[in-house]
Every structure is written in structure tokens, then in C-alpha cells.
Amino acid sequence: MQSLTEHVNEIAWDMSGEMFFLTTGNGTVEVLAYPSLRALDTLTAHTAGCYCIAIDPLGRYFAVGSADSLVSLWDIKEMLCVQTFTKLEWPVRTISFNHTGEYIASASEDLFIDIANVETGRSVHQIPCRAAMNSVEWNPKCNLLAYAGDDKNKYQTDEDYIFKEIFTVPSLNFSEIT
């Protein structure tokens, strides 16, 4: 494997475990074969640093969040960008697909978490937040989204913090938000 000269922000495996993805500070995604770590592709994904990456649970797509405030959706077989999500206005810190791969949650310093339909790219729901979010993660079996941000204060216990940051999405039959 060649040595990377770029700053690596986040890493992910594809569902087969045969491809390894690295997001870089120069806006690219490096795709490596495993176990050889041979470079398969370098994708120019964004105009600014790529901060986060998530693999869809069905293995169809991967998504990349960037400092340019965009989330790009990539076809994993073709290595082509097929969709862009544009609701956030600050650098994207975290992204996660729900258990069916139908929805993606993304968050930043905006005071909401955006949930969008993967196929249409349209926002279907927004969860208000009190602070910038550092992490969002869907439950692997149901529409339950956990998230954590910058706003824990000295009066909250760890238990209070965890339980306050869980959002249950009972049906995800939201009317589309424009």
C-alpha cells in the first residue's frame, strides 16, 4: 500500500469486508482492496474535506459528509455519485443509514438533525437539537435514532444525557418537507 499524504478523517468497510474506504481532508475518498490494501479508486467526492462516511446496510450505497455542508450518496458498484443532500448549512459531522437503507440521518452545527429519503434526496423530517451534533446512529433493527452533541452540562448525569438523546421514529411515513 502506498503511504497516504492526506489527513484521514473516518474509515469504513463495505458489507462484504473486501473494500476499505478512507475519507480525506482534501475532499477525496480512497478505496482500498482488502486484504492486499491495493488502491482500487480515488474518488473526488467534495470540494472540501470529507469528514464522515456510512455504508448502507443493504450494501448498495455509501454516503460521505463534508466540510462543504453536503452529503453525497455513491453507488458502491459503479463508484458514481447518484444523489446529493443539501439541507445542512454547516460542515457535516456525522451520518447514518436506518436499518432498511431507506433513510439517512445527517447532522452538523445546525440545530437540527436532517432525515432524508435516500432515493429521492428529499428531507422527510428534522429533529430539533440544542447544540451541534457529533454523532448519530440508527438502531440496526428498528427506526430508533441515538445522537450525541456538545451540550452536556455539569448538572446532567451520564444516564440523563443518554436517555434524552434517543429519538423514536414510529413509522417514518412523514409528509415530505420542502
Side-chain angles (χ1 to χ4, degrees), residues 83-100:
Q83 188 71 258
T84 305
F85 304 91
T86 61
K87 282 293 184 186
L88 300 175
E89 294 183 15
W90 290 89
V92 181
R93 293 181 173 194
T94 180
I95 52 181
S96 180
F97 288 95
N98 79 325
H99 69 291
T100 63

Side-chain angles (χ1 to χ4, degrees), residues 105-125:
S106 58
S108 66
E109 292 180 39
D110 291 286
L111 296 180
F112 63 89
I113 297 167
D114 186 61
I115 299 174
N117 181 289
V118 169
E119 294 299 322
T120 67
R122 295 193 60 181
S123 181
V124 296
H125 189 67

Side-chain angles (χ1 to χ4, degrees), residues 51-52 88 90-95 105-114 126-137 145-152 156 161 164-167:
Y51 289 159
C52 51
L88 300 175
W90 290 89
V92 181
R93 293 181 173 194
T94 180
I95 52 181
S106 58
S108 66
E109 292 180 39
D110 291 286
L111 296 180
F112 63 89
I113 297 167
D114 186 61
Q126 292 178 349
I127 303 167
C129 302
R130 297 182 308 250
M133 291 294 109
N134 294 321
S135 183
V136 296
E137 188 66 33
L145 183 69
Y147 52 96
D150 289 345
D151 66 342
K152 184 176 178 184
Q156 288 175 301
Y161 189 65
K164 286 183 182 176
E165 305 306 339
I166 302 241
F167 179 80

